[in-house]
Amino acid sequence: MDSEADGLVAVSGDSGPDRKRRVHGMLKLYYGLNEEGKTAELADSLDPCDINGPQFDPELFLNKLRRECSLAELMDQETCMVKQIRSLDSDMQTLVYENYNKFISATDTIRKMKNDFKKMEDEMDCLSANMSAITEFSARISGTLQDQHAQITKLSGVHTLLRKLQFLFELPARLNKCLEMQAYAQAVRSHRLARCVLQQYSHLPSFKGIQDDCHAIMDKLAQELRQKFRDGGSSAKDLSECVEMLLQLDEPAEELCDKFLSHARSRLESDLQGLEAEIRPYPSASAVKDVSARGLSSPAAPGSPTHNFPKTSNIFSPSSNTDILEFIDRGCNEFVSSLCLAITSYQELFINHAQTGELASKNIPQMANGKLHVFVDDLATRYFSLVERRIQEEKGVGDNSLLVRALDRFHRRLQAVTKLLPGSSVSSQGTEIVIRAATERVKQYLSALQSFYMDSLTDVRQALATPRLSVASASVAGGGALLGGVASGRDAPTSLPELLSSLSASILNQIKSVLASVHLFTAKDITFSNKPYFKGEFCSQGVRESLVVSFIKFVCQSSRQFCESAGDKGGSTPPALLLLLSRLCLDYETSTISYILTLTDEQFLVQHHSPVTPVTTLCTEAREAAQKLLNHYVKVQGLIISQMLRKSVETRDWVNTIEPRNVRAVMKRVVEDTTSIDVQVGFLYEEGVRKAHSSDSSKRTFSVYSSSRQQARYAASYTPSAPMDTNLLSNIHKLFSERIDIFSSVEFNKVSVMTGIIKISLKTFLECVRLRTFGRYGLQQIQVDCHYLQMYLWRFVSDENLVHFLLDEIVGSSAHRCLDPAPMEQSVIEVICERG
């Protein structure tokens, strides 16, 4: 109760809209109403002491208060209830005052409505009386005019019939007038209006005459329309109207389609003839080959002051007056535009217009559409043939921008034909032409790169063959360093590192230049470049595989061809070129191939959806080529030195020779050439790993020739009757010697290369010695020559014991085949060699 009293006090203390809402809420609560003004179904309180409940008992409530509350609380309770009563009375008065004006206004409105309804009732009564009078007068008039109305209706029908008959009788004259004024459309419309009637009453003579006259006039009109259609000099709109009128005159639609397409074909064929006139006959095969060979400019002679491998030169089309872009522009602006116009007009006349009306039942659209497809495919095939012929004339590998722009424009304009004629093969054929053109250009670039590479090798060979003054020639024991085995006192050509650097840089620059040119096909503003059927295959299979990978394989394969046997190409190959190419292939294996393919993948965003050649495969192929070239280089250089040694052994009489006083000149030449080769290989390859040399490596004569001294010890027993002792001794010595593989693969370092060359040379020397017979002085000369070789050759090989062993074998074989084996004193040998 206290809380309710407080609430009432708070309500009475408020003012404004909030107070009104609260007062209304309390009244609704008191009367048991909800927010919508309906009686709320609330749970009844059964407490007789609940002042707000229906079971409230004042006596029980007062007794309870007297029992439970003190006097002060009773007085406060009384004061609170008085305030609540006053507040409720005040709220009731406020509500009454607020609604008093509304009650008065509602009373006035009801009083006014009563007066208005009374007046309206009077007017409705008046209106009803007037309507009754009008109905009476209308019935009276209808009864009076009933007979005349039937006559008027009959006369109106007769008048209409007379007008129709008048139109029919005047129709021939009207048609002639339209024919004179060339109002053909009006004549056709008039005839169509009367055609059914004349056909229905053609059994009557009068109507039969009118029908015959009209047929004669319309035949004449149809003849003029056919002549106008055949002339084709009118505009497209007039031609469309002409065809439409002929179809309305029941002309055969198929014949009209053929005539329309024939007329359009004559115009389009004139455009094709104009395009064909711009294409000259195919150039001769030799001319194409010359142009392709000049596609990439050849490098300047290496070693010259202005030595630089230039970029791709611009070569224009060899057989056309206009460039490819002008040709494609003319074809698009004339032929393709005319073809699109013909398709649009044809579809409007025979397909779209015939979809509705009486023509649709004759299956004209299906027939016309089939003829249109055949017509377009036939002319498009001829146009594509001309375009391909013109594209094939683009043999130059210079600027690609014109070709790419031309292909883009060609592809873009064909999309209009596809939109006009869905289902046509024009778009797919045009796309195939674009793909073939791009693929063919890639092939041309590959051919040009291959020609450039071969021309570069030719220039390198010329540089190696042309002697030039060496600015800084290396000076080593036995003579100066030369390329190609030239004597040290002569002029040396340009150094191999410069040639290798220039060759490698020029090839890489050409590849980058070609990639930049080919990249135009994948530019963002080119429509066909973003098509999945073009970009994916072109980038992965076209550029990466067909161009870059194929060129790398060509470099490796063409390099391996230099390793062919003598008598083929490899027989005349300079050894320095073999060495240079081996280093080039090795550089490709270590870094260049990976760099080129990474550059290609990044530049063309290659997605490896289709199988591509992995980098490891190309690197393996390049390493194999480098290994084969280096092995062949060792073989060639070893055979050159071997040839000198063979001739020196075979052309000398070793039985009757004089006592040796000097080292033979051929041995000095061998040392000089070996030194030259060592410097040559050192230009391109690292030193390599050597075994530790002994302190007296250049003076290990006694240990080297131990077998010869042992054979000299048994010289007394060396007779034809007892050859087994010395043979047995030699064979036992070989059993405990390490086997030497003469033609094994060499490693990519200078020591391994020189070891292979010296092994071949000394092995040849050994085999030649085994085929000769020696006298005393012949054996001594061999001792002197081998000691001289031992003084210098040990420093070139990885293991000096190898040289010692082979030279020991040579001296031992000479002693074994000597008729009078009497070795020269070691001190004398050293004096001769030091003096020589």
Side-chain angles (χ1 to χ4, degrees):
M1 190 68 186
D2 295 338
S3 60
E4 294 177 358
D6 294 340
L8 291 175
V9 172
V11 169
S12 63
D14 293 340
S15 61
D18 293 338
R19 178 176 176 275
K20 292 181 180 180
R21 283 195 296 271
R22 291 179 182 178
V23 169
H24 294 165
M26 292 178 65
L27 290 174
K28 289 180 180 178
L29 180 64
Y30 178 78
Y31 288 109
L33 302 177
N34 55 16
E35 293 296 330
E36 297 178 355
K38 299 180 180 179
T39 303
E41 296 180 358
L42 301 175
D44 295 336
S45 176
L46 301 180
D47 187 4
C49 296
D50 184 5
I51 196 171
N52 295 322
Q55 303 296 330
F56 177 67
D57 189 348
E59 293 295 332
L60 293 175
F61 179 72
L62 289 174
N63 292 333
K64 181 180 179 182
L65 287 178
R66 282 194 296 267
R67 287 193 309 266
E68 295 177 356
C69 298
S70 62
L71 179 61
E73 291 177 347
L74 289 174
M75 295 181 67
D76 293 338
Q77 187 71 24
E78 180 186 8
T79 303
C80 181
M81 293 184 67
V82 169
K83 289 182 180 180
Q84 290 180 7
I85 294 172
R86 291 177 180 175
S87 175
L88 290 174
D89 290 341
S90 175
D91 292 338
M92 290 294 292
Q93 292 178 2
T94 301
L95 289 174
V96 171
Y97 291 152
E98 287 178 352
N99 292 296
Y100 179 72
N101 291 332
K102 295 180 181 179
F103 294 152
I104 295 176
S105 176
T107 304
D108 293 339
T109 301
I110 293 172
R111 186 183 300 110
K112 186 177 179 181
M113 288 176 63
K114 288 182 179 181
N115 296 331
D116 292 341
F117 277 112
K118 183 177 181 181
K119 183 178 179 180
M120 189 179 297
E121 288 178 357
D122 296 338
E123 291 178 354
M124 291 297 295
D125 293 339
C126 181
L127 179 61
S128 177
N130 292 335
M131 290 296 295
S132 299
I134 290 172
T135 302
E136 183 181 356
F137 282 123
S138 175
R140 192 180 304 171
I141 292 172
S142 298
T144 305
L145 299 178
Q146 185 174 3
D147 297 337
Q148 296 179 1
H149 179 72
Q151 295 177 0
I152 291 172
T153 303
K154 184 177 180 180
L155 291 174
S156 177
V158 172
H159 180 264
T160 303
L161 179 60
L162 290 175
R163 288 183 62 185
K164 291 180 178 179
L165 292 175
Q166 182 182 4
F167 177 80
L168 292 176
F169 285 117
E170 293 178 354
L171 182 60
R174 187 187 299 271
L175 293 178
N176 284 326
K177 186 66 174 178
C178 291
L179 202 61
E180 292 177 0
M181 298 176 62
Q182 295 184 353
Y184 302 134
Q186 180 65 32
V188 172
R189 283 195 297 271
S190 300
H191 181 262
R192 290 188 64 190
L193 291 175
R195 182 167 54 184
C196 296
V197 177
L198 292 175
Q199 183 67 27
Q200 183 178 0
Y201 297 100
S202 60
H203 60 282
L204 299 176
S206 57
F207 286 96
K208 180 65 175 177
I210 295 174
Q211 186 181 23
D212 293 340
D213 293 341
C214 290
H215 282 174
I217 295 172
M218 296 312 294
D219 289 341
K220 185 178 179 181
L221 174 61
Q223 185 176 358
E224 292 186 6
L225 289 175
R226 284 193 295 269
Q227 183 63 35
K228 182 179 180 181
F229 181 77
R230 282 193 297 267
D231 293 341
S234 56
S235 63
K237 182 179 180 181
D238 295 338
L239 192 62
S240 175
E241 293 177 354
C242 179
V243 172
E244 184 177 0
M245 288 184 289
L246 286 173
L247 290 175
Q248 292 175 356
L249 293 175
D250 294 332
E251 285 290 319
E254 186 172 358
E255 183 179 349
L256 289 177
C257 290
D258 292 338
K259 289 180 179 179
F260 182 90
L261 295 179
S262 176
H263 173 68
R265 182 184 294 274
S266 62
R267 290 189 175 183
L268 292 171
E269 283 183 347
S270 64
D271 294 338
L272 292 177
Q273 290 174 359
L275 292 175
E276 190 172 9
E278 293 189 6
I279 303 177
R280 295 183 181 180
Y282 287 110
S284 62
S286 59
V288 173
K289 184 176 181 181
D290 293 341
V291 173
S292 178
R294 294 193 302 268
L296 293 175
S297 58
S298 299
S304 61
T306 59
H307 169 54
N308 184 22
F309 291 88
K311 293 183 178 180
T312 306
S313 61
N314 294 328
I315 298 179
F316 299 97
S317 176
S319 58
S320 180
N321 291 327
T322 59
D323 58 48
I324 182 67
L325 183 59
E326 294 177 0
F327 180 84
I328 295 297
D329 272 341
R330 179 173 178 179
C332 292
N333 295 333
E334 295 180 1
F335 174 78
V336 178
S337 298
S338 301
L339 182 62
C340 292
L341 181 60
I343 294 173
T344 304
S345 303
Y346 183 89
Q347 289 177 334
E348 186 65 29
L349 292 176
F350 301 104
I351 299 178
N352 299 336
H353 182 71
Q355 295 284 354
T356 58
E358 60 183 16
L359 299 177
S361 60
K362 300 179 181 180
N363 293 327
I364 292 178
Q366 292 80 359
M367 178 272 300
N369 193 42
K371 287 183 174 293
L372 180 60
H373 276 274
V374 174
F375 169 78
V376 172
D377 291 343
D378 182 30
L379 288 174
T381 301
R382 293 180 54 189
Y383 172 63
F384 291 152
S385 175
L386 295 176
V387 171
E388 283 200 288
R389 284 178 55 188
R390 182 61 184 85
I391 291 175
Q392 289 174 1
E393 292 183 359
E394 295 296 308
K395 298 298 183 181
V397 287
D399 189 8
N400 259 342
S401 57
L402 285 180
L403 176 62
V404 174
R405 288 168 56 195
L407 293 176
D408 176 59
R409 197 159 301 176
F410 171 75
H411 182 271
R412 194 190 303 268
R413 292 299 294 272
L414 288 182
Q415 304 307 311
V417 181
T418 305
K419 292 179 180 179
L420 290 175
L421 194 62
S424 175
S425 61
V426 172
S427 178
S428 59
Q429 293 179 5
T431 301
E432 291 175 359
I433 290 177
V434 172
I435 294 175
R436 283 197 297 269
T439 305
E440 183 63 27
R441 181 47 63 101
V442 169
K443 291 180 180 178
Q444 293 175 8
Y445 275 114
L446 174 62
S447 177
L449 277 175
Q450 292 172 351
S451 300
F452 174 80
Y453 175 72
M454 298 308 296
D455 292 342
S456 300
L457 292 186
T458 302
D459 292 336
V460 170
R461 295 184 68 164
Q462 293 177 355
L464 294 173
T466 304
R468 298 178 184 275
L469 181 62
S470 178
V471 177
S473 59
S475 225
V476 294
L482 301 175
L483 296 178
V486 185
S488 61
R490 302 173 186 173
D491 296 334
T494 306
S495 64
L496 283 178
E498 294 178 0
L499 287 177
L500 176 63
S501 176
S502 298
L503 178 62
S504 179
S506 64
I507 295 174
L508 188 59
N509 289 335
Q510 285 297 335
I511 293 176
K512 291 181 179 179
S513 177
V514 166
L515 290 178
S517 299
V518 176
H519 191 261
L520 294 176
F521 283 97
T522 61
K524 293 183 179 179
D525 57 341
I526 303 301
T527 54
F528 59 81
S529 66
N530 297 320
K531 303 296 182 181
Y533 54 76
F534 176 83
K535 189 170 185 178
E537 287 297 316
F538 177 75
C539 292
S540 62
Q541 298 299 320
V543 178
R544 190 185 191 276
E545 294 296 310
S546 299
L547 181 61
V548 178
V549 174
S550 296
F551 177 69
I552 294 174
K553 290 183 177 179
F554 171 79
V555 171
C556 298
Q557 293 171 0
S558 61
S559 300
R560 284 197 296 267
Q561 291 177 358
F562 288 102
C563 301
E564 296 175 0
S565 60
D568 297 332
K569 181 190 296 185
S572 59
T573 304
L577 181 61
L578 296 174
L579 184 66
L580 186 143
L581 289 178
S582 68
R583 185 65 207 190
L584 178 68
C585 293
L586 186 63
D587 291 342
Y588 267 59
E589 185 264 338
T590 54
S591 61
T592 307
I593 291 178
S594 177
Y595 171 75
I596 292 174
L597 292 181
T598 302
L599 179 67
T600 304
D601 293 345
E602 291 177 352
Q603 191 170 355
F604 289 87
L605 301 177
V606 176
Q607 302 293 331
H608 301 308
H609 298 305
S610 56
V612 295
T613 306
V615 178
T616 53
T617 302
L618 295 176
C619 291
T620 302
E621 187 172 351
R623 189 173 186 86
E624 291 175 355
Q627 186 68 63
K628 188 173 182 180
L629 285 165
L630 194 59
N631 291 342
H632 191 64
Y633 172 78
V634 171
K635 179 181 177 182
V636 170
Q637 292 286 37
L639 292 178
I640 292 174
I641 299 177
S642 298
Q643 189 68 17
M644 292 188 298
L645 293 172
R646 180 183 293 110
K647 290 181 179 181
S648 68
V649 174
E650 293 177 352
T651 57
R652 190 179 183 93
D653 185 2
W654 294 98
V655 177
N656 300 318
T657 185
I658 62 175
E659 184 179 359
R661 291 291 180 263
N662 295 299
V663 178
R664 288 190 301 153
V666 67
M667 298 302 161
K668 298 179 181 179
R669 179 65 182 273
V670 168
V671 172
E672 290 177 358
D673 288 355
T674 304
T675 305
S676 175
I677 294 172
D678 178 75
V679 175
Q680 185 183 81
V681 176
F683 282 147
L684 301 180
Y685 285 100
E686 300 296 331
E687 180 70 21
V689 180
R690 301 175 185 268
K691 290 186 178 180
H693 295 159
S694 60
S695 58
D696 57 345
S697 297
S698 60
K699 297 183 179 181
R700 293 181 57 182
T701 307
F702 293 98
S703 62
V704 172
Y705 306 128
S706 58
S707 63
S708 62
R709 293 198 305 276
Q710 290 174 2
Q711 291 181 3
R713 181 183 305 171
Y714 295 98
S717 63
Y718 181 71
T719 60
S721 62
M724 293 302 296
D725 293 337
T726 54
N727 286 338
L728 180 62
L729 184 63
S730 177
N731 291 331
I732 292 174
H733 179 71
K734 289 180 181 179
L735 287 176
F736 293 95
S737 300
E738 185 179 357
R739 181 179 178 274
I740 299 176
D741 190 357
I742 301 299
F743 293 100
S744 61
S745 295
V746 297
E747 299 177 1
F748 295 102
N749 57 71
K750 184 177 71 171
V751 172
S752 179
V753 171
M754 296 305 301
T755 302
I757 295 173
I758 292 175
K759 283 194 299 184
I760 295 174
S761 304
L762 296 183
K763 184 64 176 178
T764 303
F765 193 12
L766 174 61
E767 296 301 325
C768 292
V769 166
R770 287 176 176 175
L771 298 177
R772 309 298 296 178
T773 302
F774 295 88
R776 173 185 296 182
Y777 297 135
L779 172 61
Q780 295 178 0
Q781 184 67 55
I782 292 295
Q783 284 183 283
V784 173
D785 294 342
C786 289
H787 182 76
Y788 182 80
L789 293 177
Q790 185 272 335
M791 290 174 59
Y792 296 101
L793 296 185
W794 66 271
R795 68 192 70 205
F796 298 117
V797 297
S798 58
D799 186 3
E800 58 183 314
N801 293 326
L802 183 144
V803 175
H804 302 330
F805 176 77
L806 288 175
L807 292 176
D808 190 23
E809 282 291 315
I810 294 171
V811 176
S813 296
S814 302
H816 183 69
R817 289 160 181 79
C818 183
L819 300 177
D820 184 16
M824 182 179 288
E825 292 294 333
Q826 184 60 34
S827 59
V828 179
I829 295 175
E830 293 177 359
V831 171
I832 294 175
C833 291
E834 292 174 0
R835 186 180 59 191

